[in-house]
Amino acid sequence: MSFALDKSKVPWWVSNLIVPLVNLTLALLVSGLFIFIAGENPYQAIKLIIYGSFGYVEGFAYTLYYTTNFIFTGLAFAVAFHCRLFNIGGEGQAYIGGLGVFLVAINFSFLPVPIIWILSIAGAFIFGAAWAFIPAYLQAKRGSHIVITTIMFNFIASSLMVYLLVDVIRDMKQMGPHTVALPKELWLPSFKDFAAFFGIKIRYSPLNASFLLAIAASLFVWFLVWKTKWGYEMRAVGHNTQAAIYAGISPYKNIIIAMLISGGLAGLLSINEVLGVHHKIVSGFPAGYGFTGIAVALMGRNHPIGIFPAAFLFGILYQGGSEVTFDMPNITRYMFVAVQGVIILFSGALENLFRPQIESFFVNKLNRQAKV
Amino acid sequence: MVSPILELSNINKSFGHVHANKDINLTINKGTIHGIIGENGAGKSTLMSIVYGLYQADSGTIKVSGNEINLKSPRDSIENGIGMVHQHFMLVENFTVLENIVLGFEGEVIFGKNLEKAKIDLKKLCETYNLNVDLDSVISDLSVGFRQRVEILKSLYRGAEVFILDEPTGVLTPQEVDELFKILRSLKEEGKTIVLITHKLNEIMDLTSEVSVMRQGEIVGHTKTKATNREKLAEMMVGRSVLLRINKSKTHRGDVAFKVENLIVKDDLDVARVKNVNLEIHAGEILGLAGVTGNGQTELLEALSGIRKVESGEIFLNGEKISDSLNLLNPRELKEKGLAHIPEDRQRMGLVTDFKASENLIFGYHDQEPYSKFSIMKEDKIFDYSKRVMEEYDVRPRSPHLMTSNFSGGNQQKLILSRELNENPKILLIGQPTRGVDIGAIEFIHQRLIDMRDKGAAILLVSVELEEVLSLSDRIIVMFDGKIVGERVNEDVTDRELGLLMAGVV
């Protein structure tokens, strides 16, 4: 028998904690089955994942490094999604953002370093936003679907960057498609530097100060979406465009603003990659983070508080997964792409598979308690 | 020999709190054209969707030619000889007429013999009923009138004996209407049965032999068309329930506060829906705009409130020109000038149901102090304000943080009403103020409107509820087919007279 459940009676922790956890557990069980079929012990694999991502300082640092990237791209997707725009162009926006970082860092090298950092962040944001502007304009004015245009802009960004990296901004002293390295004083302090400051010696890991920027970006998004007039208007347009027009809120303006902020946040990924890790633009540095960010945002219910743990989870999978593929010969890198896929499937597409049952279970249980 | 082909008994259907069909009993005789008339929202389309298997009734039985049947999907209805021509055609635009007609009934994997046979059958049908449709033309090349014929042909081909036509003339030109009526008459002559759903009295009188009138989900009368006339039908349609008592003093009419000159407005399909409308509203006056739904009131309201573009004409607010075809103030600018608008379709336009109640209570005023300052929302101020108005307007439950979708329909309405009335606008445009609101709230809302009038507000009240217009308005204008067809002072008009104006009879 089916009956309509009174949504207002479902406690927040059931829909926002229990349901995602159940979905995640199921996804892990199915993934375990994959590993079993591939001829390895799932239990051992889990142990390796946990050891790889938490077991030693550098491993944990790697986990947080991946988390940083996922936070940026997850936030980027979430902001656009609040205006019901499916921005899948994070990949391209991040890539072009890198160009902004590099140009700022090269051209303003006469300024004090902290100022260059701030300008680089602005550069990453502005270049990422600019790359999102054209699809945004086309959506707002011409109704060209943002999914189509942003994915095409990923390819354009990729081709453009290959051209630039080969013919224009390549380090001409060598043949690889990357730029010259930035001066050492511009490199963001790494986790290793932080540890050394406190007298702890650890080995290299890519984790750097961008992680703090990611946390700041999360706060920024939370404040923007829920505490400001702009967030209010963006959400109004996203939920009910007709009502927005009635209230004098311009859908056109808000689509553009949402996409600019979204593109800008995606652009910030390049702060981590260009200023923090590679210290130059290398070809293809967004490496799929833009796409995984979609899953992170959906899993995190497009809220910074949800995006952080979701990004962390994917960080664990990335780092722990590489540990597993290293130690288990039967498990390839692609296996972990499949595991990611299963998690996305269960927490995204099948998100409502067990939701009604779980919610009504808890509502009934609470009702019974209330009666007693 | 009269024999019933379709018998409905005790059909009930509810959507949430709305009882769309209440204990419907209806018998339709074979070989007749049976009209079902009623205002929009009276439940006609719901009833016919049940007969066609699109909805399942909550209770009741349906008999076709005396046999009780269980309709689960349109397929069941088609098998029982029931065909439907929807208001919005169900055709694949880039298929040919032939492909559309055989769709779902192809009967073979690769087109060949069956398709040829279908073509021959269809040609015969076209000749018998004078349909005159070219089977090989693509739907998107056909005019609306011809698309409708394709729908009729489709039903014929599938062996329909009963044809349900839902507002078939709404989209047609007068010439196309004549052609359609010819076709319907020839169908009847061949022994087919036609159920015509409409709110247009002329069509009923022209075409039908029997008519059933629906009002608020119930059938309020059956009659032979010959035994009635337009006036009687109009009365039945509009209803004559007891007027609500309103304490209303005589108005102290001030200067003209709002003025519309030669206004023409087109809808999304580029059809003129408001045709050269002139009106004036004085301060301290309620101007009632009566009319059957779909005669341009919606477009008029949208144009006056800055949502819809003005094709030509001018709008003045306190003598200042605010809108014409070149320049349209947006709703927010109009709000700043003291114009509030409560839209007809409130859930769709007036609210964001995924917002918290408090967020909806400032919707459209969100960038004004004290609700926001320097673009940052002042949540505590919004909360206090929400608490207060929810108390004042008795919105239940009184939880500003609750998601709006969790409020009942009536309480959602109150959220909008309280938001707009609380600002004490100088000019208020209000569409269907009490649609979907419970009796207690109706009285409250009416009293608020009178109070506002007494304080000097100019109010335009658009309503399809004649009683409401009569009990609140000082002056009444009637809109029919996009034009103002009459203006009356409330004291010397009867609801019968208004009903006739609304139906375009006089």
Side-chain angles (χ1 to χ4, degrees):
Chain A
M1 197 189 95
S2 72
F3 58 94
L5 186 70
D6 187 353
K7 281 273 172 199
S8 59
K9 294 219 167 64
V10 180
W12 67 270
W13 50 269
V14 171
S15 40
N16 292 326
L17 282 178
I18 304 274
V19 173
L21 280 179
V22 168
N23 287 331
L24 185 62
T25 313
L26 282 169
L28 290 180
L29 284 177
V30 173
S31 308
L33 198 65
F34 285 179
I35 291 169
F36 179 73
I37 292 168
E40 297 284 356
N41 182 346
Y43 176 67
Q44 282 300 328
I46 294 267
K47 264 170 76 176
L48 273 173
I49 289 176
I50 291 176
Y51 173 75
S53 48
F54 294 100
Y56 53 100
V57 177
E58 291 81 9
F60 186 62
Y62 261 96
T63 306
L64 288 183
Y65 152 72
Y66 290 122
T67 306
T68 309
N69 281 342
F70 292 136
I71 290 176
F72 285 130
T73 53
L75 291 174
F77 182 82
V79 167
F81 195 73
H82 279 293
C83 202
R84 285 299 175 276
L85 295 163
F86 218 82
N87 176 19
I88 57 174
E91 195 82 3
Q93 290 143 16
Y95 212 169
I96 300 294
L99 192 61
V101 175
F102 182 76
L103 292 179
V104 167
I106 287 291
N107 290 317
F108 291 91
S109 51
F110 54 88
L111 291 170
V113 171
I115 306 270
I116 300 178
W117 284 342
I118 290 169
L119 288 179
S120 301
I121 292 171
F125 197 93
I126 291 167
F127 272 63
W131 200 247
F133 175 76
I134 305 168
Y137 176 82
L138 290 173
Q139 171 78 67
K141 272 278 154 162
R142 306 252 166 239
S144 317
H145 204 285
I146 204 95
V147 169
I148 310 291
T149 46
T150 48
I151 201 160
M152 292 208 278
F153 265 68
N154 285 340
F155 288 105
I156 300 173
S158 171
S159 307
L160 177 68
M161 289 302 282
V162 166
Y163 163 71
L164 291 176
L165 285 172
V166 170
D167 288 334
V168 184
I169 54 173
R170 176 165 56 90
D171 174 6
M172 296 301 175
K173 288 196 228 70
Q174 48 87 55
M175 295 304 289
H178 56 76
T179 62
V180 291
L182 295 170
K184 204 154 188 183
E185 61 271 20
L186 290 184
W187 299 6
L188 282 182
S190 71
F191 181 51
K192 193 179 158 204
D193 302 337
F194 273 107
F197 185 76
F198 291 104
I200 307 162
K201 259 183 91 85
I202 54 169
R203 276 175 293 134
Y204 170 80
S205 72
L207 180 64
N208 61 74
S210 307
F211 183 66
L212 302 175
L213 181 65
I215 290 171
S218 304
L219 285 171
F220 164 75
V221 167
W222 170 77
F223 190 77
L224 173 85
V225 174
W226 279 277
K227 301 288 161 189
T228 67
K229 185 185 97 178
W230 301 298
Y232 179 91
E233 296 195 351
M234 264 158 50
R235 286 184 291 130
V237 171
H239 285 305
N240 188 342
T241 310
Q242 214 169 4
I245 295 170
Y246 155 79
I249 298 168
S250 157
Y252 166 73
K253 203 175 98 190
N254 279 286
I255 286 172
I256 303 261
I257 292 178
M259 279 304 287
L260 288 181
I261 294 172
S262 174
L265 286 165
L268 292 185
L269 179 137
S270 61
I271 292 290
N272 191 18
E273 291 293 323
V274 176
L275 221 47
V277 181
H278 301 295
H279 311 120
K280 59 188 159 209
I281 304 179
V282 297
S283 151
F285 73 81
Y289 295 117
F291 290 115
T292 313
I294 301 170
V296 168
L298 289 177
M299 201 172 170
R301 317 200 112 229
N302 295 302
H303 195 294
I305 293 173
I307 287 171
F308 189 88
F312 188 55
L313 173 74
F314 275 86
I316 294 169
L317 279 177
Y318 258 56
Q319 168 56 16
S322 58
E323 196 86 13
V324 172
T325 50
F326 192 72
D327 276 18
M328 292 182 160
N330 287 337
I331 309 282
T332 61
R333 201 165 64 81
Y334 299 105
M335 199 75 185
F336 268 83
V337 178
V339 170
Q340 276 178 43
V342 171
I343 291 181
I344 294 169
L345 185 69
F346 273 90
S347 60
L350 300 180
E351 204 226 12
N352 291 328
L353 190 62
F354 297 107
R355 183 176 288 278
Q357 287 84 342
I358 297 171
E359 287 184 346
S360 60
F361 170 79
F362 278 97
V363 168
N364 291 339
K365 203 174 157 190
L366 290 174
N367 280 349
R368 247 175 283 134
Q369 274 175 2
K371 267 177 206 147
V372 175
Chain B
M1 174 65 207
V2 187
S3 67
I5 186 157
L6 188 63
E7 292 165 87
L8 308 180
S9 33
N10 300 315
I11 299 281
N12 277 291
K13 176 78 188 171
S14 298
F15 298 100
H17 298 290
V18 184
H19 209 154
N21 284 161
K22 287 177 221 163
D23 287 320
I24 302 284
N25 290 297
L26 181 64
T27 303
I28 288 166
N29 292 321
K30 193 169 161 51
T32 60
I33 300 183
H34 192 115
I36 296 181
I37 192 163
E39 291 190 294
N40 280 14
K44 305 169 300 216
S45 292
T46 306
L47 183 65
M48 287 306 124
S49 297
I50 290 171
V51 174
Y52 189 57
L54 285 171
Y55 299 145
Q56 268 87 59
D58 298 336
S59 66
T61 55
I62 301 170
K63 283 184 191 171
V64 174
S65 310
N67 306 316
E68 191 173 324
I69 54 166
N70 188 9
L71 297 173
K72 286 218 179 59
S73 73
R75 195 134 200 152
D76 294 335
S77 320
I78 293 165
E79 276 166 16
N80 282 294
I82 299 168
M84 184 152 181
V85 177
H86 296 268
Q87 223 166 338
H88 307 284
F89 305 137
M90 310 277 178
L91 296 170
V92 185
E93 293 256 327
N94 54 353
F95 275 19
T96 65
V97 172
L98 182 64
E99 284 166 339
N100 263 291
I101 290 172
V102 298
L103 191 66
F105 291 80
E106 301 92 350
E108 57 188 346
V109 182
I110 298 165
F111 288 157
K113 245 196 293 167
N114 283 5
L115 206 62
E116 283 309 309
K117 192 174 163 294
K119 210 165 172 177
I120 295 164
D121 293 345
L122 285 167
K123 279 211 174 111
K124 228 178 269 167
L125 286 173
C126 280
E127 275 163 31
T128 318
Y129 299 102
N130 284 321
L131 286 170
N132 202 13
V133 180
D134 176 13
L135 294 174
D136 293 321
S137 38
V138 176
I139 296 294
S140 54
D141 296 338
L142 294 179
S143 71
V144 176
F146 272 94
R147 290 184 199 196
Q148 194 171 47
R149 290 186 200 185
V150 175
E151 287 278 11
I152 294 172
L153 186 58
K154 191 159 87 179
S155 296
L156 269 174
Y157 178 69
R158 292 174 184 184
E161 287 298 317
V162 181
F163 290 79
I164 303 168
L165 287 98
D166 189 1
E167 303 280 0
T169 59
V171 286
L172 300 182
T173 64
Q175 292 76 17
E176 285 175 325
V177 172
D178 289 344
E179 291 291 313
L180 173 70
F181 284 7
K182 267 186 216 156
I183 293 167
L184 295 182
R185 286 197 190 97
S186 70
L187 281 168
K188 182 189 153 192
E189 269 151 36
E190 297 292 324
K192 310 280 185 197
T193 310
I194 290 158
V195 181
L196 179 71
I197 305 172
T198 183
H199 63 256
K200 295 180 186 163
L201 292 165
N202 294 345
E203 294 171 8
I204 294 289
M205 299 311 293
D206 281 1
L207 208 57
T208 63
S209 46
E210 281 157 66
V211 56
S212 304
V213 184
M214 283 190 83
R215 189 171 72 232
Q216 290 169 5
E218 288 174 279
I219 293 209
V220 291
H222 292 289
T223 172
K224 293 257 182 246
T225 311
K226 267 182 267 170
T228 185
N229 56 36
R230 284 191 262 199
E231 289 78 0
K232 277 189 197 159
L233 283 176
E235 268 178 32
M236 270 166 50
M237 241 170 97
V238 174
R240 271 176 169 282
S241 49
V242 189
L243 291 180
L244 279 165
R245 295 290 305 155
I246 292 287
N247 286 325
K248 193 172 76 165
S249 56
K250 209 160 160 48
T251 167
H252 301 285
R253 211 164 102 150
D255 296 333
V256 173
F258 195 72
K259 189 169 158 191
V260 175
E261 277 182 359
N262 305 320
L263 189 72
I264 296 177
V265 183
K266 288 183 171 176
D267 66 8
D268 297 335
L269 302 169
D270 218 27
V271 178
R273 300 305 297 267
V274 176
K275 300 168 185 168
N276 216 15
V277 162
N278 290 288
L279 58 85
E280 280 181 357
I281 316 169
H282 293 258
E285 167 189 61
I286 298 179
L287 177 66
L289 176 64
V292 175
T293 311
N295 278 295
Q297 302 100 311
T298 307
E299 288 78 9
L300 176 65
L301 261 185
E302 289 181 358
L304 297 186
S305 59
I307 298 170
R308 191 172 284 281
K309 203 173 132 276
V310 172
E311 196 62 29
S312 73
E314 290 164 340
I315 304 170
F316 298 89
L317 200 156
N318 286 328
E320 176 198 355
K321 183 156 97 180
I322 50 166
S323 293
D324 57 21
S325 58
L326 301 171
N327 188 16
L328 183 70
L329 281 194
N330 86 31
R332 210 181 317 191
E333 293 164 320
L334 289 171
K335 278 190 176 111
E336 276 161 22
K337 291 190 182 296
L339 181 141
H341 169 215
I342 299 176
E344 293 179 298
D345 193 342
R346 285 187 272 278
Q347 266 100 340
R348 200 167 52 93
M349 196 181 255
L351 284 172
V352 180
T353 46
D354 291 326
F355 269 12
K356 289 187 284 195
S358 59
E359 288 178 306
N360 268 314
L361 280 169
I362 56 160
F363 194 51
Y365 301 93
H366 55 274
D367 58 349
Q368 298 179 6
E369 284 190 52
Y371 313 132
S372 70
K373 206 171 180 183
F374 307 122
S375 294
I376 292 164
M377 310 298 283
K378 294 280 171 201
E379 271 175 38
D380 45 341
K381 296 263 168 51
I382 296 169
F383 185 86
D384 292 345
Y385 157 77
S386 304
K387 240 357 212 190
R388 185 166 56 78
V389 285
M390 286 172 96
E391 192 78 40
E392 193 180 332
Y393 285 80
D394 192 24
V395 182
R396 289 174 213 195
R398 284 205 185 86
S399 11
H401 285 321
L402 191 63
M403 213 46 98
T404 307
S405 52
N406 290 326
F407 285 86
S408 71
N411 280 303
Q412 291 183 3
Q413 311 256 25
K414 283 192 196 166
L415 287 175
I416 305 170
L417 288 162
S418 55
R419 175 184 72 210
E420 300 299 333
L421 298 185
N422 193 61
E423 297 292 326
N424 283 321
K426 289 202 283 280
I427 291 149
L428 175 67
L429 311 173
I430 179 165
Q432 320 300 346
T434 52
R435 178 185 280 171
V437 177
D438 54 84
I439 305 282
I442 289 177
E443 212 164 352
F444 176 75
I445 292 164
H446 284 177
Q447 198 54 54
R448 285 294 298 211
L449 292 177
I450 298 288
D451 291 348
M452 282 184 57
R453 179 201 72 165
D454 292 344
K455 276 192 240 158
I459 300 174
L460 176 67
L461 168 83
V462 177
S463 179
V464 291
E465 301 285 337
L466 205 44
E467 303 143 34
E468 187 167 77
V469 174
L470 278 165
S471 68
L472 288 175
S473 313
D474 302 302
R475 212 153 42 94
I476 298 170
I477 52 177
V478 180
M479 203 164 173
F480 176 76
D481 191 26
K483 298 185 206 84
I484 306 291
V485 291
E487 181 184 331
R488 299 284 187 275
V489 176
N490 196 355
E491 279 78 46
D492 28 86
V493 69
T494 62
D495 53 351
R496 192 166 163 279
E497 193 182 349
L498 283 180
L500 292 178
L501 281 169
M502 282 164 72
V505 178
V506 284

